[in-house]
Amino acid sequence: MKKLLTAFVGLLMMFALASCGGNNVATVNGEDISNDDYTEYLDNVLSIYEANGYSMENEQLLAMRDTVVQELVNTKLVEQAAEELDCYPTKDEINEYYEEQLTAMYGDVNTGEDYIGSFGLDLDFFRNSYAVSLCQEKISESLVPEATMTEEEAREIYDADPEAYNTRTVSHILVMPDAGDRETETDDEGYTIYTDEEWAAAEEKAKELIAELDNGADFAELAKENSDDTGSAENGGALEGAFTREGSSYVEEFTNAAFELTEVGAYTEEPVRSSYGYHIIKIDDMTSEDNLDEVLQGIIDDDLASQRSDQLTAYMDEFEADAVIVYYDEEGNEIKEEDDSGDTAVDDTAADDSNGETTDDAAADDSGSDSSDNANAE
């Protein structure tokens, strides 16, 4: 579970705390970003690194200064843009968003706060980071209030490639043959070679589990207690992400069985054998011609999300270009740079155009497992 915290590294690169005095590292449209903001940010990032088993020397932290300052500037720009558009979230909205995020990641707010606090991290630091994330959502919604794609346009997109919208999201229970203490060999593809008796025992166990499901047992609980795919087992057998038949990364037997199921909640009535063992597969969600209205709405929603993302980027680029940004060195002296003519000028441009947005690079593998790909064809 430690790895979950690394997902916050990018998120924490998005905001600044209220100015606490001392030298400033930058000002944005006259608003200060203090050295205390910068220091507190580094303290929290260092705690996150340590929580994940990494260490960072002081020299490395100092080398991050320009990046950290720029991210704090980007955050200030997001906050100011939300205020200019009169869409800065209320305290209640921020609290609700914060609780939703912790609940989604840790199951409930108290568990999340206890876990974060156990590493010496400031809960207000996390709350403020979510506030900035919510600001971005509010800005994008202000710029593009509602969907512009019609159902007819969505249908045209669907009709152009219907199989791309025939998807499955599944959970599974894997029962692997047990070779006991005997020495095993692998075949040419690297799979363990089991005896017929070992395969038969695994199949029998899988059939017993299906019988329990038929009698009303909870699939997630059975997966937690019995699945040999330990990575998905801790999530009740859930495998992340929807997949199409053509784009599936799972082995052929697994994929085919998943697409033979045509109702949410349905599971395979017979064990599905693959090179890994026997699978029991349950449909958690699906899209197909049978629920076309939902598919079309999904296409419209995706288009809306894309428009909002594009408009947010464009708006923040322009907002940043018009902003007056001043940077200061460690001694509090204004940093100047040479312009194209060779004259010195105040650096009022941002070092990058991230505008406080999180990046996928910050997210780490949070599965906490080395066996979650047991259904995979890799």
Side-chain angles (χ1 to χ4, degrees):
M1 194 169 180
K2 278 186 178 181
K3 290 185 178 180
L4 287 175
L5 280 175
T6 56
F8 280 107
V9 173
L11 191 59
L12 291 175
M13 299 280 279
M14 288 171 32
F15 73 94
L17 300 176
S19 179
C20 302
N23 292 334
N24 294 327
V25 295
T27 60
V28 181
N29 293 322
E31 290 191 39
D32 296 336
I33 299 174
S34 74
N35 190 61
D36 289 341
D37 300 338
Y38 166 80
T39 301
E40 186 148 3
Y41 167 82
L42 284 181
D43 287 344
N44 278 270
V45 170
L46 181 58
S47 295
I48 290 173
Y49 272 90
E50 290 175 347
N52 286 275
Y54 303 108
S55 61
M56 186 172 287
E57 301 297 330
N58 288 337
E59 292 78 7
Q60 293 173 294
L61 288 171
L62 291 173
M64 293 173 60
R65 186 180 190 279
D66 289 348
T67 300
V68 172
V69 171
Q70 188 56 54
E71 293 299 338
L72 296 175
V73 166
N74 292 338
T75 292
K76 186 64 71 177
L77 289 167
V78 169
E79 294 173 337
Q80 291 178 350
E83 290 173 350
E84 181 175 278
L85 290 170
D86 196 25
C87 64
Y88 198 94
T90 66
K91 184 177 180 180
D92 286 344
E93 288 173 329
I94 292 171
N95 287 338
E96 181 179 356
Y97 188 79
Y98 167 79
E99 292 176 359
E100 286 175 354
Q101 300 308 307
L102 288 192
T103 299
M105 182 165 287
Y106 298 102
D108 64 77
V109 176
N110 291 335
T111 300
E113 289 187 336
D114 289 345
Y115 184 69
I116 293 169
S118 70
F119 295 100
L121 297 169
D122 187 346
L123 291 178
D124 285 339
F125 200 73
F126 279 78
R127 187 185 300 272
N128 290 342
S129 73
Y130 284 128
V132 175
S133 182
L134 184 55
C135 278
Q136 291 178 301
E137 288 190 16
K138 290 279 192 178
I139 292 171
S140 65
E141 290 170 3
S142 176
L143 297 171
V144 187
E146 58 186 26
T148 58
M149 177 178 284
T150 65
E151 186 172 314
E152 290 73 20
E153 290 171 330
R155 182 58 192 257
E156 290 178 6
I157 293 173
Y158 172 82
D159 288 340
D161 188 10
E163 277 306 301
Y165 300 95
N166 185 8
T167 68
R168 299 291 186 273
T169 305
V170 304
S171 295
H172 84 136
I173 300 171
L174 173 64
V175 180
M176 298 174 63
D178 184 3
D181 295 330
R182 74 174 181 84
E183 281 193 26
T184 59
E185 298 180 354
T186 57
D187 60 20
D188 293 339
E189 296 182 358
Y191 298 112
T192 301
I193 299 174
Y194 297 105
T195 66
D196 290 344
E197 291 78 11
E198 290 163 352
W199 276 107
E203 182 180 20
E204 183 60 30
K205 179 179 177 180
K207 287 182 176 180
E208 291 173 359
L209 293 175
I210 291 175
E212 291 189 48
L213 291 172
D214 291 342
N215 289 325
D218 182 73
F219 190 99
E221 289 303 317
L222 285 185
K224 289 178 181 179
E225 296 169 1
N226 297 278
S227 182
D228 290 319
D229 178 0
T230 55
S232 67
E234 64 182 17
N235 296 319
L239 296 173
E240 186 176 351
F243 58 94
T244 63
R245 183 189 290 271
E246 184 176 338
S248 173
S249 61
Y250 302 114
V251 291
E252 183 178 1
E253 302 92 337
F254 187 98
T255 300
N256 289 341
F259 277 88
E260 287 173 5
L261 299 171
T262 57
E263 292 184 5
V264 173
Y267 53 85
T268 49
E269 297 179 358
E270 294 292 332
V272 178
R273 178 169 170 170
S274 77
S275 303
Y276 298 100
Y278 283 97
H279 306 268
I280 306 167
I281 304 168
K282 180 176 76 74
I283 299 298
D284 296 326
D285 197 10
M286 60 178 288
T287 59
S288 70
E289 184 77 32
D290 294 333
N291 58 341
L292 186 57
D293 289 345
E294 181 181 333
V295 174
L296 296 181
Q297 187 59 53
I299 294 173
I300 292 171
D301 291 343
D302 287 345
D303 179 72
L304 175 59
S306 178
Q307 286 192 56
R308 284 177 170 171
S309 177
D310 291 345
Q311 288 299 313
L312 173 64
T313 299
Y315 185 85
M316 290 309 305
D317 283 347
E318 184 175 351
F319 191 87
E320 178 182 352
D322 293 338
V324 177
I325 305 172
V326 181
Y327 298 90
Y328 302 94
D329 62 21
E330 291 86 344
E331 287 73 39
N333 300 313
E334 185 175 333
I335 298 174
K336 299 179 182 292
E337 66 174 14
E338 290 190 358
D339 62 21
D340 293 339
S341 65
D343 297 328
T344 59
V346 176
D347 178 8
D348 62 353
T349 59
D352 60 43
D353 60 357
S354 62
N355 291 320
E357 297 179 51
T358 56
T359 64
D360 292 339
D361 293 339
D365 175 12
D366 61 4
S367 67
S369 165
D370 57 1
S371 59
S372 60
D373 289 333
N374 278 330
N376 250 319
E378 297 177 1

